[in-house]
């Protein structure tokens, strides 16, 4: 009996899974393997919210495999060592893996290739598994990647996605290959109280429901903070419980302006992945340096703490930061506003904010998180690097009746819009009735400091 190993990473599904289907075509049996990689925890990326969501995903993946006559094999330790051990136990000739884009993923792939080759085994890497279009598939003349989204999107839109693969009917797994227990999400410390559930079946139900009832209004309502009209599919795309290829195809089949606007957001995800694949150091270094002299974490410690805790004195900022802590997720408009406030109003290094988001976000994807932070900070791909989003004007536009602020900042629940967005303007006797802090900084002062730092004042 011939055997192949399928190493699961950020592709925790059975539907539309090229590595699994290729392994089933090439061998009589497969070992679906997930390694709880020591390097993830060592690098500080084993955030409680993502660990809980991951446990749900592995539980559902194992259930789906058992329904098809198989099971998930779980190991822990160094990923290369564990893959080689499993390949030896199963006498596997091939290991199948979805291509990654981060510096770590690329190093992991190269280490696996060398280690397996030394044992006479082959590594098969598959594209278009974690992205709809492979990162290196689109390149402009004279460069290895697109640095501006609009021309990238034009080329990306002209691509014909590969066919969507059905989930296999059967997945035979050798009985003698041992496995550790699948981790549980119960009792994990530090998990956000309102964290959503993970898993492929859960993600597929959410996708179907949203395409049926939410996609049509997405173009008009995706920035509505209180309306919560976004898909909330980002955690499922991050963990790969949903295939981006399938999501793009199904959204296009749904059609209409809402679906088109949603597909554009999926293109942004691919865009960031192709930037990081070409420039892995953009995870920690400025993609386009602006010679910023950021305030240090020590100098701005009190302001950073207030920002993290949602007590900046700007209600829409505080609402978004409290949503992040409670749900492990934040509305996209909230992400833009809170990131802009930290980097351009408080003038704090984007890496401080990006690290905090990665500590809490269930969809904390390295490419999207870091490069979105850089876009907002003006060190990334934004063609207007010095733009500043005014949180008061933004709140009045995207939370006009104050419902979002009322939900997350209950101490202001009795204050009607538009005053709820700028409570510091109330008369002293009225303001004293609300247990809410004064603004950390005047917006005009923050803007002037930023403009001076960028040499524009």
């Amino acid at each position: 009996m011939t055997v192949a190993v399928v190493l699961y990473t950020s592709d925790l599904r059975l539907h539309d899974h090229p590595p699994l289907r290729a392994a089933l075509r090439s061998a009589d049996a497969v070992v679906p393997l997930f390694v709880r990689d020591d390097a993830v925890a060592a690098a500080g990326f084993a955030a409680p919210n993502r660990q809980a969501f991951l446990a749900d995903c592995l539980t559902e993946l194992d259930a789906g495999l058992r329904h098809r006559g198989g099971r998930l094999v779980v190991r822990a330790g160094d990923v290369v060592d564990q893959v080689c051990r499993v390949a030896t136990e199963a006498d596997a000739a091939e290991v199948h893996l979805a291509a990654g884009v981060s510096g770590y993923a690329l190093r992991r792939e190269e280490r696996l290739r060398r280690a397996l080759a030394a044992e006479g085994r082959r590594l098969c890497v598959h594209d278009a598994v974690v992205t709809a279009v492979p990162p290196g598939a689109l390149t402009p003349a004279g460069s290895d990647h697109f640095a501006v989204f609009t021309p990238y999107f034009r080329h990306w839109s002209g691509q014909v996605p590969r066919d969507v693969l059905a989930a296999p009917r059967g997945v035979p797994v050798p009985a003698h290959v041992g496995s550790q227990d699948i981790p549980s999400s119960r009792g994990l410390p530090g998990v956000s109280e309102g964290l959503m559930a993970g898993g492929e079946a859960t993600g597929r139900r959410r996708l179907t429901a949203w395409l049926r009832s939410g996609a049509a209004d997405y173009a008009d309502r995706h920035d509505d903070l209180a309306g919560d009209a976004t898909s909330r599919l980002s955690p499922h795309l991050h963990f790969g419980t949903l295939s981006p290829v399938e999501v793009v195809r199904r959204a296009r089949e749904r059609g209409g302006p809402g679906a088109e606007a949603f597909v554009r957001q999926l293109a942004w995800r691919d865009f960031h992945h192709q930037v990081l694949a070409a420039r892995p150091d953009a995870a920690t270094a400025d993609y386009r340096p602006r010679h910023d002299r950021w305030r240090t974490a020590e100098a701005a410690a009190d302001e950073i703490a207030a920002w993290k805790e949602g007590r900046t004195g700007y209600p829409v900022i505080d609402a978004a930061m409290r949503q992040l802590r409670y749900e492990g997720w934040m509305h996209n408009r909230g992400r833009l506003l809170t990131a802009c406030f930290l980097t351009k109003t408080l003038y704090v290094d984007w890496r401080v904010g990006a690290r905090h988001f990665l500590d809490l976000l269930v969809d904390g994807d390295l490419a999207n998180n870091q490069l979105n932070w850089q876009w907002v900070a003006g060190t990334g791909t934004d063609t207007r690097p010095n733009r500043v989003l005014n949180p008061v004007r933004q709140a009045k536009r995207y939370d006009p009746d104050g419902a979002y602020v009322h939900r997350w900042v209950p101490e202001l629940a009795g204050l009607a819009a538009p005053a709820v967005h700028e409570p510091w303007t109330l008369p002293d006797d009225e303001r004293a009735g609300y247990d809410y802090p004064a603004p950390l900084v005047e917006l005009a002062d923050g803007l002037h400091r930023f403009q001076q730092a960028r040499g524009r004042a």
Side-chain angles (χ1 to χ4, degrees):
M1 180 178 69
T2 58
V3 180
V5 173
V6 176
L7 176 60
Y8 278 95
T9 54
S10 53
D11 51 342
L12 304 177
R13 63 181 185 268
L14 294 172
H15 291 81
D16 194 43
H17 197 280
L20 179 60
R21 295 310 298 254
L24 288 168
R25 286 194 300 270
S26 69
D28 299 318
V30 301
V31 179
L33 171 66
F34 182 83
V35 178
R36 301 178 69 184
D37 191 352
D38 288 344
V40 174
F45 288 113
N49 286 334
R50 291 196 295 281
Q51 290 300 299
F53 196 92
L54 170 64
D56 290 346
C57 295
L58 296 178
T59 297
E60 286 201 4
L61 179 58
D62 180 63
L65 287 165
R66 290 182 183 276
H67 182 69
R68 292 163 174 82
R71 61 192 170 92
L72 181 64
V73 173
V74 176
R75 298 289 178 93
D78 177 80
V79 64
V80 175
D81 289 346
Q82 293 302 319
V83 169
C84 288
R85 289 183 185 182
V86 169
T88 298
E89 291 175 28
D91 193 22
E94 296 177 345
V95 174
H96 293 259
L97 170 70
V101 300
S102 68
Y104 175 71
L106 297 175
R107 291 191 297 273
R108 176 182 62 200
E109 181 181 316
E110 185 55 33
R111 287 180 60 215
L112 275 169
R113 183 175 284 107
R114 289 199 305 267
L116 291 169
E119 298 178 352
R121 311 182 202 279
R122 187 163 73 100
L123 179 67
C124 306
V125 180
H126 300 263
D127 287 325
V129 180
V130 300
T131 56
V133 175
L138 304 176
T139 55
S143 180
D144 57 355
H145 73 289
F146 279 92
V148 178
F149 175 72
T150 300
Y152 174 81
F153 181 57
R154 187 165 55 248
H155 286 77
W156 186 93
S157 299
Q159 297 292 299
V160 178
R162 61 168 176 77
D163 292 338
V164 175
L165 305 173
R169 293 183 177 180
V171 184
V173 178
H176 67 278
V177 178
S179 174
Q180 296 181 350
D181 291 338
I182 293 174
S184 171
S185 60
R186 293 183 179 179
L188 282 174
V191 175
S192 292
E193 185 177 345
L195 185 70
M196 66 182 74
E200 181 177 13
T202 302
R204 294 185 70 81
R205 286 193 298 269
R206 178 176 288 275
L207 173 62
T208 297
W210 187 77
L211 287 174
R212 185 189 314 114
S213 60
D217 296 329
Y218 181 77
D220 296 326
R221 299 187 58 221
H222 70 277
D223 277 322
D224 179 355
L225 284 163
D228 198 14
T230 63
S231 70
R232 289 195 179 232
L233 294 174
S234 53
H236 292 283
L237 288 165
H238 171 61
F239 282 91
T241 55
L242 289 176
S243 157
V245 172
E246 182 179 5
V247 174
V248 168
R249 279 192 173 272
R250 289 182 63 179
R252 284 175 171 167
E253 289 169 0
R254 176 68 173 80
E260 291 173 7
F262 176 65
V263 168
R264 184 181 177 89
Q265 294 305 309
L266 296 172
W268 266 107
R269 181 176 182 272
D270 278 11
F271 172 73
H272 285 147
H273 277 76
Q274 60 96 39
V275 172
L276 189 64
R279 299 289 184 272
D281 64 341
T284 55
D286 289 349
Y287 179 75
R288 288 186 175 131
R290 305 295 177 188
H291 309 293
D292 284 297
R293 299 178 300 280
W294 302 109
R295 298 172 68 207
T296 65
E298 292 74 22
D302 290 343
E303 290 96 329
I304 292 169
W307 176 81
K308 289 181 178 180
E309 295 165 11
R311 51 180 182 85
T312 67
Y314 289 93
V316 73
I317 302 298
D318 295 341
M321 295 304 294
R322 296 182 193 189
Q323 181 185 25
L324 172 62
R325 186 166 295 280
Y326 182 81
E327 294 188 347
W329 184 89
M330 188 195 292
H331 192 287
N332 183 60
R333 178 56 53 173
R335 300 188 197 206
L336 291 173
L337 296 180
T338 54
C340 186
F341 185 83
L342 183 73
T343 57
K344 290 177 174 173
T345 300
L346 299 181
Y347 199 55
V348 171
D349 194 327
W350 64 266
R351 282 158 281 245
V352 173
R355 178 70 262 176
H356 181 66
F357 271 32
L358 283 177
D359 286 343
L360 290 174
L361 282 174
V362 65
D363 61 5
D365 178 271
L366 192 67
N368 289 297
N369 187 66
Q370 307 303 87
L371 290 168
N372 271 319
W373 268 94
Q374 292 224 47
W375 188 93
V376 174
T379 62
T381 62
D382 187 7
T383 55
R384 293 171 53 199
N386 298 308
R387 80 172 86 200
V388 177
L389 301 175
N390 182 300
V392 177
R393 286 200 291 267
Q394 291 275 310
K396 290 179 178 179
R397 180 177 180 183
Y398 297 115
D399 187 31
D401 60 0
Y404 183 70
V405 168
H406 290 154
R407 182 183 307 162
W408 296 108
V409 188
E411 56 266 44
L412 297 178
L415 189 56
V420 71
H421 296 307
E422 41 189 346
W424 58 89
T425 63
L426 293 171
D428 290 345
D429 57 336
E430 290 186 44
R431 191 166 65 247
Y434 296 97
D435 182 20
Y436 186 70
L440 284 178
V441 62
E442 294 286 342
L443 294 178
D445 293 341
L447 177 61
H448 181 67
R449 175 173 54 195
F450 172 70
Q451 289 176 335
Q452 277 192 316
R454 288 275 170 99
R456 299 178 66 84

